[in-house]
Amino acid sequence: MTSCSGSLKLEIHTDDKTPGKWSVPLGDDVFRRFLSGGGGSEKAVFGEGSLFSPFLFGKYFDPSDAFPLWEFEAEVLLASLRSLGGQCRVDWSQTDLAYVLKSDIPVVGKNNVQVYVDVNGKVMEISGQWNNNKKAAANGDWRSGRWWEHGYVRRLELPCDADAKNSEAFLSNNDDYSFLEIRIPKINSKNKF
């Protein structure tokens, strides 16, 4: 990571070959039990309005499954959350030049946010580990077992005209939250950001 105007520029990885990563699904009932039995850290990471909450989009959706985010307008998809006075800490948009995702990320644990794009450039994932105290899966990678006990993820389907190779991700920090901004240029755009 390098510093860029007060923010850290994150490296966007494409070489993740972790076997079985995100292979254990997070079901609705499992998530509800996990969150109700958890403390402040779990609620900060997965609570209402968080990018990593399975209920971010108004109904349950496992964050380890790829979601076609840019097929929806943020105002429409997040309307019920915003109308209830809920704290929404995520937004996305698109311009003629790029797709943009902005989100607060709670500072919990070592907050090692990573961004990956699959080799085909079709799915972007944002993940990080928030709990280093629990024993990881047999292969030593926390993402291969009950990942929600160790970290968080949000996987997003990228639009057909997204130029994943030229994407940029920036992270800025304060005491309670980090702010993540990801910019994905459109293939047909003539200008960069």
Side-chain angles (χ1 to χ4, degrees):
M1 292 187 271
T2 59
S3 182
C4 178
S5 66
S7 298
L8 294 174
K9 184 173 183 181
L10 300 176
E11 179 181 356
I12 297 180
H13 304 277
T14 57
D15 59 351
D16 188 13
K17 296 176 177 66
T18 306
K21 179 175 71 166
W22 319 125
S23 62
V24 178
L26 176 57
D28 186 353
D29 57 332
V30 172
F31 175 72
R32 288 180 192 274
R33 280 194 309 271
F34 167 73
L35 197 60
S36 68
S41 295
E42 290 87 342
K43 288 178 176 64
V45 172
F46 297 106
E48 186 177 275
S50 167
L51 175 64
F52 308 105
S53 170
F55 291 102
L56 178 64
F57 307 121
K59 65 177 193 169
Y60 188 85
F61 191 88
D62 184 345
S64 68
D65 290 336
F67 186 82
L69 186 71
W70 283 279
E71 289 182 16
F72 300 92
E73 295 288 329
E75 292 78 29
V76 173
L77 203 54
L78 299 174
S80 64
L81 181 65
R82 290 177 175 160
S83 70
L84 296 173
Q87 193 176 51
C88 190
R89 304 183 316 247
V90 60
D91 200 11
W92 64 91
S93 61
Q94 65 176 301
T95 67
D96 292 340
L97 302 177
Y99 297 95
V100 179
L101 171 69
K102 297 177 181 181
S103 180
D104 286 346
I105 297 178
V107 176
V108 177
K110 61 183 182 177
N111 205 19
N112 57 347
V113 178
Q114 296 188 334
V115 179
Y116 291 91
V117 173
D118 71 357
V119 293
N120 300 322
K122 305 243 184 252
V123 176
M124 177 176 279
E125 72 180 45
I126 303 149
S127 63
Q129 193 170 1
W130 65 270
N131 185 352
N132 299 322
N133 298 327
K134 293 200 176 227
K135 185 175 164 115
N139 70 356
D141 190 319
W142 64 271
R143 301 171 296 175
S144 299
R146 293 172 55 94
W147 53 267
W148 55 92
E149 295 178 352
H150 305 275
Y152 52 84
V153 64
R154 174 60 70 189
R155 297 182 70 235
L156 303 169
E157 287 180 19
L158 295 176
C160 297
D161 63 343
D163 184 359
K165 287 186 247 177
N166 290 309
S167 297
E168 295 180 317
F170 299 93
L171 187 69
S172 55
N173 296 300
N174 67 32
D175 292 338
D176 298 323
Y177 282 88
S178 295
F179 181 76
L180 176 68
E181 181 171 349
I182 298 175
R183 291 178 274 182
I184 308 160
K186 292 183 176 180
I187 291 173
N188 297 329
S189 67
K190 295 184 189 283
N191 301 322
K192 287 199 68 156
F193 313 115

